[in-house]
Amino acid sequence: MAKLKLSKQALHHQQEQLKLYKRLLPSLDLKRRQLTMEAQKAQNEYTEALSASEALETRIGEELPMLADESLRLQDLVVVTGYRLGEQNVVGVRLPVLESLDCRIAEYSPLMTPPWIDILVQRLKDAITSRLRAEVAGQRLDILRLQLRRVTQRVNLFEKILIPTAHSNIQRIRIYLGEAERAAVVTSKLAKSKQLQERNVLTEAQE
């Protein structure tokens, strides 16, 4: 840490820094509060998406109990081939948004397969989409929590370190300059008194 200079220029610099910190702090604190609200909202969305995904999978098991038959080969019936994520700007933070999901459905003969296969295909697509939405909701939550932590650290830096340090530095410089000014006045008075005495002695000597 650089040594604090005790000068009028340093005082002016510290005063300008203090003004800057006080000007930036309210906007940082506002962003912190906004991010706190968005993170809570994202937490709720993630919880809801996770619950919806689990509920859908439970529903599939209840609607189609025949899936418990291990002789059925259904693992490749619906396969994800790709998906596209967009971006959403929330309080200056870029968050992922699920825009589309592409699936490949295995070919099957309606005449050679059970009638519930069509229902299963739709349910599997729904389940995959629901799981992916929950995953994206989790990513949004993680990003918001990270940004909230960073902004909170900056707010604490301003509130607990930068602003108090600037106040302390300004006080130190003012005390030093005040003492230096008083010392200069005393020195000036002593010098004038000495000059006056010397003139008086010289005058007396001339008389």
Side-chain angles (χ1 to χ4, degrees), residues 14-15 17-18 21 161-171:
Q14 290 292 326
Q15 289 172 330
Q17 288 293 102
L18 181 59
Y21 298 152
I161 298 177
L162 296 180
I163 290 178
T165 299
H167 274 298
S168 176
N169 289 342
I170 289 171
Q171 185 177 15

Side-chain angles (χ1 to χ4, degrees), residues 98-151:
L98 179 61
E99 291 187 342
S100 65
L101 172 66
D102 299 319
C103 295
R104 185 184 71 246
I105 301 172
E107 294 183 3
Y108 62 90
S109 171
L111 299 178
M112 300 295 292
T113 53
W116 46 264
I117 285 293
D118 290 338
I119 298 175
L120 175 61
V121 167
Q122 185 57 53
R123 292 291 183 269
L124 288 176
K125 288 176 65 177
D126 292 343
I128 291 170
T129 302
S130 185
R131 281 199 299 269
L132 188 54
R133 289 190 187 282
E135 184 179 330
V136 172
Q139 292 175 3
R140 291 166 63 91
L141 177 58
D142 290 341
I143 293 171
L144 283 169
R145 281 177 172 171
L146 175 61
Q147 294 301 318
L148 175 58
R149 185 162 59 249
R150 288 176 176 173
V151 171

Side-chain angles (χ1 to χ4, degrees), residues 8 24 26 40 81 130 146 187 193 200 207:
K8 289 184 178 181
L24 293 177
Q40 184 58 56
T81 57
S130 185
L146 175 61
T187 300
S193 176
N200 290 338
E207 292 177 352

Side-chain angles (χ1 to χ4, degrees), residues 185-200:
V185 170
V186 171
T187 300
S188 177
K189 287 182 178 180
L190 289 175
K192 289 181 179 179
S193 176
K194 185 177 180 181
Q195 289 176 356
L196 182 59
Q197 289 177 357
E198 290 175 350
R199 280 200 299 268
N200 290 338

Side-chain angles (χ1 to χ4, degrees), residues 1-18:
M1 184 179 292
K3 185 177 179 180
L4 179 66
K5 294 182 179 180
L6 304 177
S7 64
K8 289 184 178 181
Q9 183 179 358
L11 176 62
H12 176 72
H13 175 70
Q14 290 292 326
Q15 289 172 330
E16 290 300 312
Q17 288 293 102
L18 181 59

